[in-house]
Amino acid sequence: MKQIASVFKASLVPRYFFAQKIINVPTMGDSITEGDVKEFSKKIGDYVAQDEVVALVETDKVTIDIRCPDAGVITKIYAQQGAKVEVGKPFYEIDTEGKASAAPKAETKAPAPEVKVEQVKSEAPPQAPKTEAALKPAAPAQAPPAVKAAVAPAARSITPGSRNEKREPMSRMRQRIAQRLKEAQNTYALLTTFQETDMSAVMEAREALQKDFQKKHNVKLGFMSFFVKASVACLKNQPIVNAVIDGNQIIYRDYIDISVAVATPSGLMVPVLRNCETLGFADIERSLLDLANKGKDGKITPDDMAGGTYTISNGGVFGSMMGTPIINPPQSAILGMHAIIQRPVVRNDQIVARPMMYLALTYDHRLLDGREAATFLKSLATQIEDPRRLLLEL
């Protein structure tokens, strides 16, 4: 009888209780403990499939897709858009036994927008266009932003004599970039040396072999692979440039991981090409293409940017003629590439036009003397001017 009673009592426990599941903020990468909710693509009452993106969380390194580990209906959200969330803390709850048909219920629950629309109508005489715009959002909270968006262009238009100002919060990534750049200036003894290089040989080789290279490797031959290969050759000859100061010690690395700046919709990121000393031209171009595509799609992860022993930044793609890049900690040098410009130079006692590029090497003067830095950059420029030296390892 006791067993029957216990079974009967258990049957009285609501099935909903067991179907409820709290989803915590997942691990987002090494050293990342928190982030800001950039966007919540689902709301309470929405059905979410397994592995479907529920929200975007912006960290100080990347913006990460938060996916749902189980299918179900969202019943509670602990953090709204713009809120700070910590790894391991509750993020939202789902009913794992909820069905996809439960989603429309959330939509039928909200006739409230009609009240909002009427309020908007009473404020503005032209009713017909505003009624159509206001009826588009499903949730009541979305109606006011739609109205604001309609009048935003008039508010932002610049008129003569206007002195309006607008404030908006910095993203976590921009805050982190600002912090790291300032830390680099405060910690490193930054010094920049310059050199110019004639791009004629590289451009001729690229033009002559582009079709064959692309046919064999299924990827285009760009300028960056030449600079990566030249940097590897110079870093092998001068390991001190690949080293870094740690307290009262110098750490020498027997591997070369080159960070390459990539422009993404959310800002400039610096993913890493691992073990560049083992990569050929085609390997480098494939890796760069993969990183560029991941950057455009917002899929660069913290692991892609971890580490790095040396950085190459190509400001030339934006037309920069010359600049002084800032070291990417914990590294000791960064190479700045710039625009290729036809300039008059002397060759065989004749003034001729050549495609020239200015190179800049910013280095940690605590570790590198001017002689080492100038020798490194001159050697790199020589490799670029005569790419045959790369093949012969000269």
Side-chain angles (χ1 to χ4, degrees):
M1 290 295 291
K2 288 183 178 180
Q3 291 180 350
I4 295 175
S6 62
V7 171
F8 177 74
K9 186 180 283 188
S11 67
L12 295 178
V13 177
R15 184 178 165 195
Y16 175 79
F17 177 80
F18 294 103
Q20 201 71 5
K21 185 174 183 180
I22 297 177
I23 308 299
N24 295 328
V25 179
T27 301
M28 296 179 285
D30 294 339
S31 75
I32 297 179
T33 60
E34 62 181 25
D36 293 334
V37 180
K38 185 176 182 180
E39 177 185 333
F40 225 113
S41 55
K42 298 291 181 180
K43 60 182 182 296
I44 295 176
D46 282 355
Y47 177 81
V48 57
Q50 186 176 17
D51 202 38
E52 185 178 357
V53 175
V54 175
L56 298 178
V57 173
E58 183 185 55
T59 71
D60 56 9
K61 295 182 178 179
V62 290
T63 299
I64 299 174
D65 291 338
I66 304 299
R67 299 180 181 274
C68 189
D70 299 289
V73 174
I74 295 179
T75 58
K76 186 173 183 179
I77 295 176
Y78 291 94
Q80 299 299 328
Q81 184 171 329
K84 183 175 75 173
V85 293
E86 297 181 8
V87 172
K89 296 295 180 67
F91 198 14
Y92 59 94
E93 290 184 16
I94 62 170
D95 175 9
T96 56
E97 303 218 350
K99 304 299 181 183
S101 57
K105 292 182 182 178
E107 296 176 2
T108 56
K109 270 185 185 179
E114 297 178 4
V115 178
K116 298 279 186 181
V117 173
E118 289 173 5
Q119 292 174 354
V120 174
K121 285 182 186 178
S122 63
E123 292 173 5
Q127 298 178 5
K130 294 216 171 184
T131 303
E132 294 176 3
L135 289 175
K136 286 183 181 178
Q142 295 178 357
V147 177
K148 288 181 182 178
V151 298
R156 290 194 189 118
S157 61
I158 299 176
T159 56
S162 174
R163 297 181 58 81
N164 295 328
E165 294 181 353
K166 178 185 176 182
R167 288 177 179 266
E168 58 183 33
M170 292 175 66
S171 67
R172 272 184 171 268
M173 185 180 297
R174 178 50 55 185
Q175 291 180 43
R176 182 58 175 163
I177 291 173
Q179 179 186 355
R180 284 175 61 82
L181 292 178
K182 194 57 186 171
E183 285 177 354
Q185 284 187 321
N186 294 340
T187 303
Y188 292 82
L190 300 177
L191 190 61
T192 304
T193 185
F194 299 94
Q195 188 60 253
E196 64 178 1
T197 186
D198 189 340
M199 295 291 294
S200 298
V202 168
M203 294 176 70
E204 289 171 4
R206 182 170 175 261
E207 183 177 356
L209 303 174
Q210 182 68 267
K211 290 183 179 179
D212 293 339
F213 186 89
Q214 192 169 357
K215 183 178 180 180
K216 180 175 181 178
H217 300 292
N218 198 29
V219 66
K220 288 185 178 181
L221 178 62
F223 293 124
M224 183 62 78
S225 54
F226 286 92
F227 282 90
V228 170
K229 292 292 288 184
S231 295
V232 168
C234 295
L235 289 169
K236 285 182 177 179
N237 291 332
Q238 292 182 257
I240 190 67
V241 184
N242 199 48
V244 68
I245 292 178
D246 184 21
N248 294 324
Q249 297 179 324
I250 299 175
I251 300 176
Y252 289 89
R253 292 107 159 201
D254 61 358
Y255 56 90
I256 299 173
D257 290 350
I258 297 182
S259 304
V260 181
V262 174
T264 71
S266 56
L268 194 67
M269 295 185 180
V270 193
V272 180
L273 297 178
R274 314 282 178 189
N275 295 109
C276 291
E277 72 280 5
T278 65
L279 302 180
F281 279 87
D283 300 320
I284 294 170
E285 293 295 349
R286 288 194 200 96
S287 299
L288 290 172
L289 179 61
D290 180 57
L291 291 174
N293 290 335
K294 290 175 73 173
K296 291 177 183 177
D297 298 336
K299 294 182 178 179
I300 291 181
T301 66
D303 291 339
D304 291 328
M305 298 189 292
T309 63
Y310 171 88
T311 295
I312 298 178
S313 177
N314 186 6
V317 296
F318 306 110
S320 173
M321 181 178 177
M322 184 180 291
T324 55
I326 299 178
I327 288 176
N328 181 24
Q331 300 174 13
S332 297
I334 176 172
L335 174 70
M337 298 167 54
H338 297 94
I340 301 172
I341 299 175
Q342 290 283 340
R343 289 203 301 271
V345 295
V346 177
R347 296 288 186 268
N348 299 322
D349 295 330
Q350 298 292 323
I351 298 177
V352 293
R354 287 287 186 270
M356 305 297 293
M357 176 191 288
Y358 284 123
L359 302 176
L361 183 75
T362 298
Y363 59 97
D364 186 359
H365 206 358
R366 300 175 305 163
L367 181 63
L368 294 173
D369 291 331
R371 180 186 63 179
E372 282 79 13
T375 303
F376 177 90
L377 191 57
K378 177 59 179 176
S379 175
L380 192 147
T382 302
Q383 300 273 358
I384 295 298
E385 290 185 345
D386 189 358
R388 296 173 299 178
R389 302 178 70 89
L390 294 174
L391 300 176
L392 301 175
E393 299 183 354
L394 298 177

